[in-house]
mmCIF file of all heavy atoms in Angstrom:
data_model
loop_
_atom_site.group_PDB
_atom_site.id
_atom_site.type_symbol
_atom_site.label_atom_id
_atom_site.label_comp_id
_atom_site.label_asym_id
_atom_site.label_seq_id
_atom_site.Cartn_x
_atom_site.Cartn_y
_atom_site.Cartn_z
ATOM 1 N N LEU G 634 93.623 85.080 108.497
ATOM 2 C CA LEU G 634 94.179 84.016 107.651
ATOM 3 C C LEU G 634 95.704 83.938 107.731
ATOM 4 O O LEU G 634 96.305 83.031 107.141
ATOM 5 C CB LEU G 634 93.762 84.235 106.192
ATOM 6 C CG LEU G 634 92.266 84.103 105.875
ATOM 7 C CD1 LEU G 634 92.023 84.338 104.389
ATOM 8 C CD2 LEU G 634 91.726 82.731 106.281
ATOM 9 N N GLY G 635 96.329 84.891 108.392
ATOM 10 C CA GLY G 635 97.783 84.873 108.543
ATOM 11 C C GLY G 635 98.543 85.538 107.414
ATOM 12 O O GLY G 635 99.782 85.477 107.383
ATOM 13 N N LEU G 636 97.841 86.195 106.491
ATOM 14 C CA LEU G 636 98.535 86.890 105.403
ATOM 15 C C LEU G 636 99.082 88.238 105.854
ATOM 16 O O LEU G 636 99.999 88.781 105.227
ATOM 17 C CB LEU G 636 97.600 87.078 104.198
ATOM 18 C CG LEU G 636 97.466 85.847 103.277
ATOM 19 C CD1 LEU G 636 96.583 84.793 103.912
ATOM 20 C CD2 LEU G 636 96.915 86.234 101.917
ATOM 21 N N LEU G 637 98.493 88.805 106.883
ATOM 22 C CA LEU G 637 99.036 89.987 107.537
ATOM 23 C C LEU G 637 99.239 89.656 109.010
ATOM 24 O O LEU G 637 98.456 88.883 109.595
ATOM 25 C CB LEU G 637 98.085 91.185 107.404
ATOM 26 C CG LEU G 637 98.040 91.922 106.059
ATOM 27 C CD1 LEU G 637 96.967 93.004 106.098
ATOM 28 C CD2 LEU G 637 99.394 92.535 105.704
ATOM 29 N N LYS G 638 100.232 90.263 109.614
ATOM 30 C CA LYS G 638 100.513 90.021 111.028
ATOM 31 C C LYS G 638 100.671 91.357 111.748
ATOM 32 O O LYS G 638 101.343 92.259 111.252
ATOM 33 C CB LYS G 638 101.773 89.180 111.196
ATOM 34 C CG LYS G 638 101.654 87.769 110.656
ATOM 35 C CD LYS G 638 102.951 86.994 110.809
ATOM 36 C CE LYS G 638 102.786 85.530 110.425
ATOM 37 N NZ LYS G 638 102.406 85.373 109.013
ATOM 38 N N GLY G 639 100.019 91.474 112.922
ATOM 39 C CA GLY G 639 100.142 92.689 113.707
ATOM 40 C C GLY G 639 98.802 93.251 114.099
ATOM 41 O O GLY G 639 97.749 92.641 113.866
ATOM 42 N N ASP G 640 98.827 94.443 114.676
ATOM 43 C CA ASP G 640 97.627 95.135 115.107
ATOM 44 C C ASP G 640 96.904 95.740 113.905
ATOM 45 O O ASP G 640 97.523 96.415 113.069
ATOM 46 C CB ASP G 640 98.003 96.238 116.103
ATOM 47 C CG ASP G 640 96.811 97.070 116.506
ATOM 48 O OD1 ASP G 640 95.961 96.570 117.266
ATOM 49 O OD2 ASP G 640 96.721 98.228 116.027
ATOM 50 N N ALA G 641 95.589 95.519 113.819
ATOM 51 C CA ALA G 641 94.827 95.960 112.651
ATOM 52 C C ALA G 641 94.908 97.473 112.456
ATOM 53 O O ALA G 641 95.119 97.956 111.332
ATOM 54 C CB ALA G 641 93.370 95.517 112.773
ATOM 55 N N ASP G 642 94.737 98.227 113.540
ATOM 56 C CA ASP G 642 94.769 99.689 113.414
ATOM 57 C C ASP G 642 96.128 100.177 112.908
ATOM 58 O O ASP G 642 96.205 101.086 112.074
ATOM 59 C CB ASP G 642 94.441 100.344 114.755
ATOM 60 C CG ASP G 642 92.986 100.146 115.171
ATOM 61 O OD1 ASP G 642 92.155 99.850 114.279
ATOM 62 O OD2 ASP G 642 92.671 100.270 116.372
ATOM 63 N N ARG G 643 97.200 99.563 113.403
ATOM 64 C CA ARG G 643 98.533 99.950 112.966
ATOM 65 C C ARG G 643 98.758 99.570 111.509
ATOM 66 O O ARG G 643 99.322 100.340 110.726
ATOM 67 C CB ARG G 643 99.593 99.289 113.860
ATOM 68 C CG ARG G 643 101.046 99.469 113.421
ATOM 69 C CD ARG G 643 101.408 100.919 113.181
ATOM 70 N NE ARG G 643 101.216 101.718 114.387
ATOM 71 C CZ ARG G 643 101.310 103.053 114.426
ATOM 72 N NH1 ARG G 643 101.559 103.722 113.292
ATOM 73 N NH2 ARG G 643 101.132 103.711 115.561
ATOM 74 N N LEU G 644 98.307 98.389 111.116
ATOM 75 C CA LEU G 644 98.458 97.944 109.730
ATOM 76 C C LEU G 644 97.704 98.867 108.777
ATOM 77 O O LEU G 644 98.185 99.184 107.675
ATOM 78 C CB LEU G 644 97.960 96.503 109.584
ATOM 79 C CG LEU G 644 98.810 95.420 110.264
ATOM 80 C CD1 LEU G 644 98.068 94.094 110.280
ATOM 81 C CD2 LEU G 644 100.160 95.272 109.556
ATOM 82 N N ILE G 645 96.506 99.308 109.203
ATOM 83 C CA ILE G 645 95.730 100.220 108.367
ATOM 84 C C ILE G 645 96.435 101.559 108.271
ATOM 85 O O ILE G 645 96.569 102.139 107.181
ATOM 86 C CB ILE G 645 94.300 100.382 108.928
ATOM 87 C CG1 ILE G 645 93.522 99.068 108.749
ATOM 88 C CG2 ILE G 645 93.575 101.535 108.236
ATOM 89 C CD1 ILE G 645 92.179 99.047 109.447
ATOM 90 N N ALA G 646 96.907 102.068 109.403
ATOM 91 C CA ALA G 646 97.605 103.356 109.409
ATOM 92 C C ALA G 646 98.861 103.319 108.536
ATOM 93 O O ALA G 646 99.189 104.291 107.851
ATOM 94 C CB ALA G 646 97.963 103.746 110.838
ATOM 95 N N ASP G 647 99.531 102.182 108.540
ATOM 96 C CA ASP G 647 100.763 102.035 107.757
ATOM 97 C C ASP G 647 100.497 101.681 106.293
ATOM 98 O O ASP G 647 101.431 101.638 105.480
ATOM 99 C CB ASP G 647 101.660 100.960 108.379
ATOM 100 C CG ASP G 647 102.219 101.377 109.730
ATOM 101 O OD1 ASP G 647 102.196 102.592 110.032
ATOM 102 O OD2 ASP G 647 102.675 100.491 110.483
ATOM 103 N N GLY G 648 99.246 101.382 105.965
ATOM 104 C CA GLY G 648 98.910 101.007 104.590
ATOM 105 C C GLY G 648 99.374 99.621 104.201
ATOM 106 O O GLY G 648 99.514 99.320 102.998
ATOM 107 N N ALA G 649 99.573 98.744 105.183
ATOM 108 C CA ALA G 649 100.073 97.398 104.888
ATOM 109 C C ALA G 649 99.100 96.605 104.012
ATOM 110 O O ALA G 649 99.520 95.735 103.236
ATOM 111 C CB ALA G 649 100.334 96.643 106.191
ATOM 112 N N TYR G 650 97.812 96.911 104.121
ATOM 113 C CA TYR G 650 96.795 96.197 103.340
ATOM 114 C C TYR G 650 96.964 96.435 101.841
ATOM 115 O O TYR G 650 96.456 95.664 101.013
ATOM 116 C CB TYR G 650 95.390 96.628 103.772
ATOM 117 C CG TYR G 650 95.109 98.093 103.517
ATOM 118 C CD1 TYR G 650 94.576 98.525 102.300
ATOM 119 C CD2 TYR G 650 95.391 99.062 104.484
ATOM 120 C CE1 TYR G 650 94.337 99.860 102.048
ATOM 121 C CE2 TYR G 650 95.149 100.396 104.248
ATOM 122 C CZ TYR G 650 94.621 100.798 103.032
ATOM 123 O OH TYR G 650 94.387 102.118 102.782
ATOM 124 N N ARG G 651 97.675 97.513 101.472
ATOM 125 C CA ARG G 651 97.797 97.860 100.053
ATOM 126 C C ARG G 651 98.600 96.843 99.257
ATOM 127 O O ARG G 651 98.550 96.853 98.029
ATOM 128 C CB ARG G 651 98.422 99.248 99.902
ATOM 129 C CG ARG G 651 97.525 100.370 100.394
ATOM 130 C CD ARG G 651 98.000 101.729 99.905
ATOM 131 N NE ARG G 651 97.192 102.796 100.464
ATOM 132 C CZ ARG G 651 97.532 103.551 101.507
ATOM 133 N NH1 ARG G 651 98.705 103.327 102.105
ATOM 134 N NH2 ARG G 651 96.738 104.506 101.951
ATOM 135 N N ASP G 652 99.321 95.957 99.916
ATOM 136 C CA ASP G 652 99.968 94.862 99.192
ATOM 137 C C ASP G 652 98.921 93.927 98.586
ATOM 138 O O ASP G 652 99.206 93.209 97.620
ATOM 139 C CB ASP G 652 100.872 94.059 100.132
ATOM 140 C CG ASP G 652 102.178 94.775 100.433
ATOM 141 O OD1 ASP G 652 102.490 95.760 99.723
ATOM 142 O OD2 ASP G 652 102.878 94.363 101.372
ATOM 143 N N PHE G 653 97.716 93.946 99.157
ATOM 144 C CA PHE G 653 96.656 93.038 98.713
ATOM 145 C C PHE G 653 95.431 93.778 98.157
ATOM 146 O O PHE G 653 94.629 93.183 97.441
ATOM 147 C CB PHE G 653 96.189 92.169 99.892
ATOM 148 C CG PHE G 653 97.298 91.389 100.544
ATOM 149 C CD1 PHE G 653 97.971 91.885 101.651
ATOM 150 C CD2 PHE G 653 97.690 90.151 100.040
ATOM 151 C CE1 PHE G 653 98.997 91.169 102.249
ATOM 152 C CE2 PHE G 653 98.715 89.428 100.635
ATOM 153 C CZ PHE G 653 99.376 89.947 101.743
ATOM 154 N N TYR G 654 95.279 95.049 98.529
ATOM 155 C CA TYR G 654 94.082 95.815 98.155
ATOM 156 C C TYR G 654 94.535 97.246 97.898
ATOM 157 O O TYR G 654 94.666 98.039 98.805
ATOM 158 C CB TYR G 654 93.066 95.735 99.294
ATOM 159 C CG TYR G 654 91.789 96.520 99.111
ATOM 160 C CD1 TYR G 654 91.201 96.695 97.860
ATOM 161 C CD2 TYR G 654 91.145 97.084 100.219
ATOM 162 C CE1 TYR G 654 90.025 97.396 97.715
ATOM 163 C CE2 TYR G 654 89.964 97.786 100.095
ATOM 164 C CZ TYR G 654 89.403 97.947 98.841
ATOM 165 O OH TYR G 654 88.229 98.655 98.689
ATOM 166 N N MET G 655 94.776 97.551 96.615
ATOM 167 C CA MET G 655 95.473 98.788 96.282
ATOM 168 C C MET G 655 94.618 99.818 95.547
ATOM 169 O O MET G 655 95.142 100.811 95.038
ATOM 170 C CB MET G 655 96.730 98.467 95.458
ATOM 171 C CG MET G 655 96.484 97.753 94.129
ATOM 172 S SD MET G 655 95.866 96.044 94.281
ATOM 173 C CE MET G 655 97.276 95.201 95.006
ATOM 174 N N HIS G 656 93.309 99.637 95.506
ATOM 175 C CA HIS G 656 92.459 100.613 94.814
ATOM 176 C C HIS G 656 91.315 101.066 95.719
ATOM 177 O O HIS G 656 91.068 100.479 96.775
ATOM 178 C CB HIS G 656 91.913 100.030 93.501
ATOM 179 C CG HIS G 656 91.097 98.778 93.676
ATOM 180 N ND1 HIS G 656 89.790 98.778 94.109
ATOM 181 C CD2 HIS G 656 91.406 97.475 93.451
ATOM 182 C CE1 HIS G 656 89.325 97.538 94.142
ATOM 183 N NE2 HIS G 656 90.287 96.721 93.756
ATOM 184 N N ARG G 657 90.622 102.108 95.291
ATOM 185 C CA ARG G 657 89.455 102.587 96.023
ATOM 186 C C ARG G 657 88.297 101.621 95.843
ATOM 187 O O ARG G 657 88.283 100.808 94.906
ATOM 188 C CB ARG G 657 89.037 103.967 95.530
ATOM 189 C CG ARG G 657 90.092 105.037 95.585
ATOM 190 C CD ARG G 657 90.481 105.444 96.984
ATOM 191 N NE ARG G 657 89.387 105.945 97.789
ATOM 192 C CZ ARG G 657 89.538 106.508 98.989
ATOM 193 N NH1 ARG G 657 90.761 106.647 99.501
ATOM 194 N NH2 ARG G 657 88.499 106.946 99.670
ATOM 195 N N ALA G 658 87.304 101.756 96.706
ATOM 196 C CA ALA G 658 86.188 100.802 96.682
ATOM 197 C C ALA G 658 85.063 101.232 95.763
ATOM 198 O O ALA G 658 84.049 100.526 95.670
ATOM 199 C CB ALA G 658 85.644 100.595 98.092
ATOM 200 N N GLY G 659 85.200 102.373 95.078
ATOM 201 C CA GLY G 659 84.093 102.754 94.211
ATOM 202 C C GLY G 659 84.326 104.057 93.477
ATOM 203 O O GLY G 659 85.298 104.776 93.712
ATOM 204 N N HIS G 660 83.387 104.370 92.565
ATOM 205 C CA HIS G 660 83.430 105.597 91.771
ATOM 206 C C HIS G 660 82.026 105.907 91.293
ATOM 207 O O HIS G 660 81.150 105.035 91.255
ATOM 208 C CB HIS G 660 84.384 105.439 90.574
ATOM 209 C CG HIS G 660 84.089 104.253 89.704
ATOM 210 N ND1 HIS G 660 83.077 104.246 88.762
ATOM 211 C CD2 HIS G 660 84.652 103.013 89.645
ATOM 212 C CE1 HIS G 660 83.051 103.057 88.154
ATOM 213 N NE2 HIS G 660 83.990 102.296 88.678
ATOM 214 N N TRP G 661 81.791 107.163 90.915
ATOM 215 C CA TRP G 661 80.492 107.540 90.361
ATOM 216 C C TRP G 661 80.252 106.789 89.045
ATOM 217 O O TRP G 661 81.196 106.484 88.313
ATOM 218 C CB TRP G 661 80.418 109.039 90.088
ATOM 219 C CG TRP G 661 80.663 109.980 91.221
ATOM 220 C CD1 TRP G 661 81.417 111.121 91.164
ATOM 221 C CD2 TRP G 661 80.151 109.924 92.558
ATOM 222 N NE1 TRP G 661 81.413 111.773 92.372
ATOM 223 C CE2 TRP G 661 80.634 111.051 93.256
ATOM 224 C CE3 TRP G 661 79.334 109.027 93.250
ATOM 225 C CZ2 TRP G 661 80.325 111.313 94.588
ATOM 226 C CZ3 TRP G 661 79.035 109.273 94.585
ATOM 227 C CH2 TRP G 661 79.517 110.405 95.245
ATOM 228 N N LEU G 662 78.993 106.563 88.741
ATOM 229 C CA LEU G 662 78.617 105.831 87.526
ATOM 230 C C LEU G 662 77.459 106.548 86.859
ATOM 231 O O LEU G 662 76.558 107.056 87.538
ATOM 232 C CB LEU G 662 78.207 104.403 87.887
ATOM 233 C CG LEU G 662 77.878 103.453 86.744
ATOM 234 C CD1 LEU G 662 79.139 103.067 85.986
ATOM 235 C CD2 LEU G 662 77.179 102.202 87.276
ATOM 236 N N GLY G 663 77.464 106.587 85.522
ATOM 237 C CA GLY G 663 76.372 107.223 84.797
ATOM 238 C C GLY G 663 76.586 107.123 83.306
ATOM 239 O O GLY G 663 76.787 106.040 82.766
ATOM 240 N N ILE G 664 76.572 108.263 82.614
ATOM 241 C CA ILE G 664 76.851 108.256 81.176
ATOM 242 C C ILE G 664 78.279 107.786 80.929
ATOM 243 O O ILE G 664 78.547 107.099 79.951
ATOM 244 C CB ILE G 664 76.622 109.654 80.566
ATOM 245 C CG1 ILE G 664 75.140 110.041 80.649
ATOM 246 C CG2 ILE G 664 77.069 109.705 79.113
ATOM 247 C CD1 ILE G 664 74.811 111.386 80.045
ATOM 248 N N ASP G 665 79.182 108.148 81.816
ATOM 249 C CA ASP G 665 80.545 107.625 81.768
ATOM 250 C C ASP G 665 80.705 106.563 82.850
ATOM 251 O O ASP G 665 80.067 106.625 83.906
ATOM 252 C CB ASP G 665 81.563 108.747 81.998
ATOM 253 C CG ASP G 665 81.599 109.738 80.844
ATOM 254 O OD1 ASP G 665 81.593 109.286 79.683
ATOM 255 O OD2 ASP G 665 81.627 110.946 81.098
ATOM 256 N N VAL G 666 81.585 105.600 82.601
ATOM 257 C CA VAL G 666 81.825 104.562 83.599
ATOM 258 C C VAL G 666 82.417 105.186 84.861
ATOM 259 O O VAL G 666 81.964 104.928 85.971
ATOM 260 C CB VAL G 666 82.769 103.473 83.046
ATOM 261 C CG1 VAL G 666 83.043 102.426 84.113
ATOM 262 C CG2 VAL G 666 82.148 102.828 81.828
ATOM 263 N N HIS G 667 83.457 105.994 84.687
ATOM 264 C CA HIS G 667 83.944 106.821 85.788
ATOM 265 C C HIS G 667 83.284 108.177 85.572
ATOM 266 O O HIS G 667 83.806 109.030 84.857
ATOM 267 C CB HIS G 667 85.472 106.906 85.788
ATOM 268 C CG HIS G 667 86.118 105.584 86.057
ATOM 269 N ND1 HIS G 667 86.858 104.899 85.123
ATOM 270 C CD2 HIS G 667 86.105 104.792 87.159
ATOM 271 C CE1 HIS G 667 87.295 103.755 85.634
ATOM 272 N NE2 HIS G 667 86.835 103.670 86.866
ATOM 273 N N ASP G 668 82.126 108.345 86.182
ATOM 274 C CA ASP G 668 81.238 109.426 85.783
ATOM 275 C C ASP G 668 81.643 110.770 86.373
ATOM 276 O O ASP G 668 82.458 110.869 87.296
ATOM 277 C CB ASP G 668 79.801 109.097 86.194
ATOM 278 C CG ASP G 668 78.774 109.824 85.338
ATOM 279 O OD1 ASP G 668 79.056 110.047 84.146
ATOM 280 O OD2 ASP G 668 77.697 110.173 85.853
ATOM 281 N N ALA G 669 81.022 111.810 85.815
ATOM 282 C CA ALA G 669 81.296 113.177 86.218
ATOM 283 C C ALA G 669 80.793 113.442 87.635
ATOM 284 O O ALA G 669 79.877 112.790 88.125
ATOM 285 C CB ALA G 669 80.624 114.127 85.237
ATOM 286 N N GLY G 670 81.390 114.434 88.269
ATOM 287 C CA GLY G 670 80.960 114.853 89.599
ATOM 288 C C GLY G 670 82.115 114.866 90.576
ATOM 289 O O GLY G 670 82.951 113.968 90.575
ATOM 290 N N SER G 671 82.146 115.884 91.405
ATOM 291 C CA SER G 671 83.223 116.012 92.384
ATOM 292 C C SER G 671 83.005 115.060 93.551
ATOM 293 O O SER G 671 81.864 114.775 93.941
ATOM 294 C CB SER G 671 83.279 117.450 92.905
ATOM 295 O OG SER G 671 84.235 117.566 93.948
ATOM 296 N N TYR G 672 84.105 114.581 94.115
ATOM 297 C CA TYR G 672 84.053 113.744 95.308
ATOM 298 C C TYR G 672 84.265 114.572 96.577
ATOM 299 O O TYR G 672 84.205 114.025 97.678
ATOM 300 C CB TYR G 672 85.137 112.657 95.244
ATOM 301 C CG TYR G 672 84.902 111.642 94.155
ATOM 302 C CD1 TYR G 672 85.467 111.800 92.886
ATOM 303 C CD2 TYR G 672 84.107 110.520 94.371
ATOM 304 C CE1 TYR G 672 85.260 110.869 91.880
ATOM 305 C CE2 TYR G 672 83.887 109.581 93.372
ATOM 306 C CZ TYR G 672 84.467 109.767 92.131
ATOM 307 O OH TYR G 672 84.238 108.847 91.136
ATOM 308 N N LEU G 673 84.481 115.882 96.410
ATOM 309 C CA LEU G 673 84.791 116.734 97.550
ATOM 310 C C LEU G 673 83.788 117.874 97.663
ATOM 311 O O LEU G 673 83.206 118.331 96.675
ATOM 312 C CB LEU G 673 86.197 117.322 97.415
ATOM 313 C CG LEU G 673 87.367 116.334 97.349
ATOM 314 C CD1 LEU G 673 88.663 117.085 97.106
ATOM 315 C CD2 LEU G 673 87.452 115.507 98.629
ATOM 316 N N ASP G 674 83.613 118.360 98.873
ATOM 317 C CA ASP G 674 82.820 119.540 99.162
ATOM 318 C C ASP G 674 83.633 120.382 100.137
ATOM 319 O O ASP G 674 83.820 119.989 101.290
ATOM 320 C CB ASP G 674 81.473 119.145 99.774
ATOM 321 C CG ASP G 674 80.602 120.355 100.084
ATOM 322 O OD1 ASP G 674 80.924 121.458 99.612
ATOM 323 O OD2 ASP G 674 79.599 120.189 100.814
ATOM 324 N N ARG G 675 84.135 121.520 99.656
ATOM 325 C CA ARG G 675 85.025 122.369 100.462
ATOM 326 C C ARG G 675 86.225 121.559 100.980
ATOM 327 O O ARG G 675 86.570 121.611 102.169
ATOM 328 C CB ARG G 675 84.263 123.009 101.620
ATOM 329 C CG ARG G 675 83.138 123.944 101.181
ATOM 330 C CD ARG G 675 82.493 124.607 102.393
ATOM 331 N NE ARG G 675 81.414 125.500 101.981
ATOM 332 C CZ ARG G 675 80.138 125.111 101.851
ATOM 333 N NH1 ARG G 675 79.817 123.846 102.083
ATOM 334 N NH2 ARG G 675 79.211 125.973 101.493
ATOM 335 N N ASP G 676 86.802 120.789 100.084
ATOM 336 C CA ASP G 676 88.012 120.004 100.362
ATOM 337 C C ASP G 676 87.794 118.853 101.340
ATOM 338 O O ASP G 676 88.761 118.240 101.803
ATOM 339 C CB ASP G 676 89.148 120.904 100.877
ATOM 340 C CG ASP G 676 89.599 121.910 99.834
ATOM 341 O OD1 ASP G 676 89.559 121.559 98.638
ATOM 342 O OD2 ASP G 676 89.974 123.038 100.203
ATOM 343 N N LYS G 677 86.550 118.559 101.652
ATOM 344 C CA LYS G 677 86.242 117.402 102.493
ATOM 345 C C LYS G 677 85.395 116.420 101.683
ATOM 346 O O LYS G 677 84.674 116.820 100.772
ATOM 347 C CB LYS G 677 85.485 117.836 103.748
ATOM 348 C CG LYS G 677 86.308 118.696 104.701
ATOM 349 C CD LYS G 677 85.499 119.045 105.944
ATOM 350 C CE LYS G 677 86.320 119.889 106.908
ATOM 351 N NZ LYS G 677 85.534 120.247 108.121
ATOM 352 N N PRO G 678 85.472 115.119 102.011
ATOM 353 C CA PRO G 678 84.644 114.152 101.282
ATOM 354 C C PRO G 678 83.166 114.552 101.339
ATOM 355 O O PRO G 678 82.628 114.784 102.426
ATOM 356 C CB PRO G 678 84.897 112.844 102.034
ATOM 357 C CG PRO G 678 86.238 113.020 102.666
ATOM 358 C CD PRO G 678 86.322 114.470 103.032
ATOM 359 N N ARG G 679 82.549 114.687 100.169
ATOM 360 C CA ARG G 679 81.150 115.078 100.152
ATOM 361 C C ARG G 679 80.277 113.942 100.665
ATOM 362 O O ARG G 679 80.682 112.775 100.649
ATOM 363 C CB ARG G 679 80.715 115.493 98.752
ATOM 364 C CG ARG G 679 80.533 114.362 97.771
ATOM 365 C CD ARG G 679 80.166 114.887 96.391
ATOM 366 N NE ARG G 679 78.963 115.682 96.419
ATOM 367 C CZ ARG G 679 78.613 116.551 95.466
ATOM 368 N NH1 ARG G 679 79.406 116.720 94.409
ATOM 369 N NH2 ARG G 679 77.492 117.236 95.546
ATOM 370 N N ARG G 680 79.098 114.287 101.095
ATOM 371 C CA ARG G 680 78.191 113.287 101.647
ATOM 372 C C ARG G 680 77.241 112.782 100.566
ATOM 373 O O ARG G 680 76.855 113.519 99.665
ATOM 374 C CB ARG G 680 77.425 113.856 102.844
ATOM 375 C CG ARG G 680 78.378 114.193 103.993
ATOM 376 C CD ARG G 680 77.685 114.641 105.253
ATOM 377 N NE ARG G 680 78.692 114.904 106.292
ATOM 378 C CZ ARG G 680 79.152 113.989 107.126
ATOM 379 N NH1 ARG G 680 78.696 112.741 107.055
ATOM 380 N NH2 ARG G 680 80.062 114.290 108.038
#
């Protein structure tokens, strides 16, 4: 659409998209809206 200009991989690496999209795409849900539970397993993103 022309709102960003340049190579996509470079723009992603530089975080240029954050001018338009500045939050994560999701979170755990349950009894709490941002529910309990770790997002990591041995310091790596859990599966």
Side-chain angles (χ1 to χ4, degrees):
L634 294 180
L636 279 76
L637 283 176
K638 294 178 173 62
D640 175 73
D642 291 340
R643 173 52 59 188
L644 291 169
I645 291 171
D647 292 342
Y650 63 89
R651 292 195 184 100
D652 284 347
F653 304 94
Y654 177 34
M655 60 292 293
H656 59 78
R657 304 292 301 189
H660 54 79
W661 303 137
L662 184 71
I664 295 181
D665 292 316
V666 178
H667 295 113
D668 204 33
S671 175
Y672 293 93
L673 299 176
D674 180 13
R675 297 184 180 90
D676 296 326
K677 294 182 179 179
R679 74 183 302 161
R680 296 185 179 272

